[in-house]
Every structure is written in C-alpha cells, then in structure tokens.
C-alpha cells in the first residue's frame, strides 16, 4: 500500500481590499505526493494522478508526451476543466510546475480557497528546455464559477506578487476565453 504525503506550507499572509486576511497554502503535484490514476492512453494521456488540494478540493493532474494540465474536483465530485493551453493560446509543449499556491481565507480556523496560482512553462523551442516562458495562471474558485481569470506574463517584474494581487481580486474578474 502506497503512503501518500501532503506537502503543505503556509508562507504568505496579506490583507485583501475587503480587509480580510489572505494566506497562501502550497500543495504538491509531484508524482510521489499524488495517487496515480488508471492510464488513459485512448485520449493521449500518459500520466494521470489525483493530488491533494485544500478546502475539500482535489487536483486531477494529467500529462501527454508534450504537455500537462489539471482539473479541479470539489468535494461533491464536480469537475472543473481549466484548459490552460487554450487560454494561453499555445500549441507549443507546456508543462505545469510541481506546486500549486492556494489563496485562502480562514473561517473558524478552516482554510477556504477562493483562488489558486499555478506556474505553467511553455517551451517554444522543444529542443532547448532552457528556452521557456514561465507564466503564472490565476484561477478563481467561486460557488458559481471556477476558471482562469488572469495570466501573468514572464516579463512582468515581481511576477509572484502580481499574481497574488490578481488572485486576491479574482472573484470580481470574468473568465478568460480560450484562444
């Protein structure tokens, strides 16, 4: 029986525009921290795993030979496809980093996620893995919508801080459309 570990770390605490404390909690997408799911080679997926999330959410992380993506799954089992490659508008190979940053507020001590940030590396030159664009993708998590609301370009100074500001304001933002 495989033992699953959950790598969780609280690092950043800020105050949002509405005066509430916001925290970051990190969870891992690393293979060792996730539960492998059955192969889905019929649709090109060569790796699929369910990873721990926050506040009743789980992450279904999946990869083909040239890209990876994830879906969120809430405690009732409802799935939310994010289609990050389509939102970024790239056909180039692209891979998620091994960590998700959840933006949460505490309600009676319980972490309630309202957004998350994922790093998505796009490899415009597949022969050179050092030549990549590293976007930060902001996803809002609301009762009526779970979707990508912002992309933070790698050229933005203080990219992480900008992503956190956008994540803290994500509830008021519309969903980005696929390109």
């Amino acid at each position: 029986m495989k033992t699953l570990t959950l790598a969780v770390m609280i690092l950043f605490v800020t105050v949002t525009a509405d005066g509430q404390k916001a925290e970051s909690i990190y969870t891992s997408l690393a293979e060792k921290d996730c539960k492998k799911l059955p192969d889905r080679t019929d649709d090109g997926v060569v790796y699929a795993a369910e990873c721990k999330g926050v506040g009743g959410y789980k992450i279904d992380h999946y990869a083909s030979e040239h890209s990876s993506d994830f879906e969120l799954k809430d405690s009732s089992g409802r799935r939310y496809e994010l289609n990050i490659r389509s939102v970024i508008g790239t056909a180039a190979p692209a891979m998620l980093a091994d960590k998700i940053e959840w933006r949460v507020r505490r309600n009676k001590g319980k972490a309630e996620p309202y957004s998350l940030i994922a790093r998505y590396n796009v490899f415009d030159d597949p022969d050179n893995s050092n030549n990549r664009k590293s976007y930060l993708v902001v996803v809002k998590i609301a009762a009526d919508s779970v979707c990508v609301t912002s992309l933070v370009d790698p050229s933005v100074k203080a990219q992480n801080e900008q992503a956190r500001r956008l994540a803290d304001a994500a509830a008021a933002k519309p969903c980005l459309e696929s390109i």
Side-chain angles (χ1 to χ4, degrees):
M1 178 180 218
K2 183 178 178 184
T3 302
L4 296 178
T5 59
L6 174 61
V8 175
M9 174 177 55
I10 299 174
L11 186 62
F12 296 98
V13 178
T14 59
V15 177
T16 61
D18 61 5
Q20 291 190 320
K21 280 188 180 179
E23 296 177 12
S24 290
I25 297 176
Y26 295 83
T27 59
S28 174
L29 297 180
E31 191 172 342
K32 68 179 179 61
D33 296 322
C34 300
K35 176 184 158 191
K36 187 156 176 13
L37 297 173
D39 291 339
R40 298 179 0 200
T41 53
D42 56 325
D43 63 357
V45 172
V46 296
Y47 170 78
E50 180 181 85
C51 306
K52 297 280 185 181
V54 173
Y57 285 90
K58 293 182 181 177
I59 299 166
D60 281 354
H61 179 211
Y62 50 92
S64 68
E65 288 186 34
H66 302 290
S67 65
S68 66
D69 209 334
F70 70 98
E71 297 175 350
L72 285 184
K73 189 168 43 179
D74 66 20
S75 58
S76 71
R78 183 173 176 195
R79 295 180 169 283
Y80 302 93
E81 285 188 48
L82 299 171
N83 300 314
I84 296 170
R85 281 182 79 198
S86 298
V87 172
I88 291 175
T90 184
M95 296 295 201
L96 282 164
D98 279 348
K99 182 170 52 173
I100 297 288
E101 178 178 353
W102 300 82
R103 296 297 285 167
V104 303
R105 291 187 180 97
R106 297 277 173 181
N107 184 5
K108 297 179 182 174
K110 183 178 173 189
E112 295 180 346
Y114 59 87
S115 63
L116 65 79
I117 302 167
R119 184 166 298 279
Y120 203 66
N121 297 306
V122 177
F123 300 91
D124 290 326
D125 180 359
D127 295 327
N128 182 357
S129 64
N130 293 322
N131 185 13
R132 68 175 180 246
K133 292 180 184 169
S134 186
Y135 293 90
L136 288 177
V137 178
V138 176
V139 175
K140 77 174 168 181
I141 302 170
D144 62 341
S145 182
V146 174
C147 64
V148 176
T149 58
S150 302
L151 300 173
V152 183
D153 192 84
S155 65
V156 171
K157 286 188 178 196
Q159 187 188 35
N160 291 332
E161 290 78 11
Q162 176 67 11
R164 285 186 197 101
R165 281 191 291 278
L166 291 167
D168 290 344
K173 295 195 172 281
C175 298
L176 293 178
E177 298 293 322
S178 296
I179 297 175

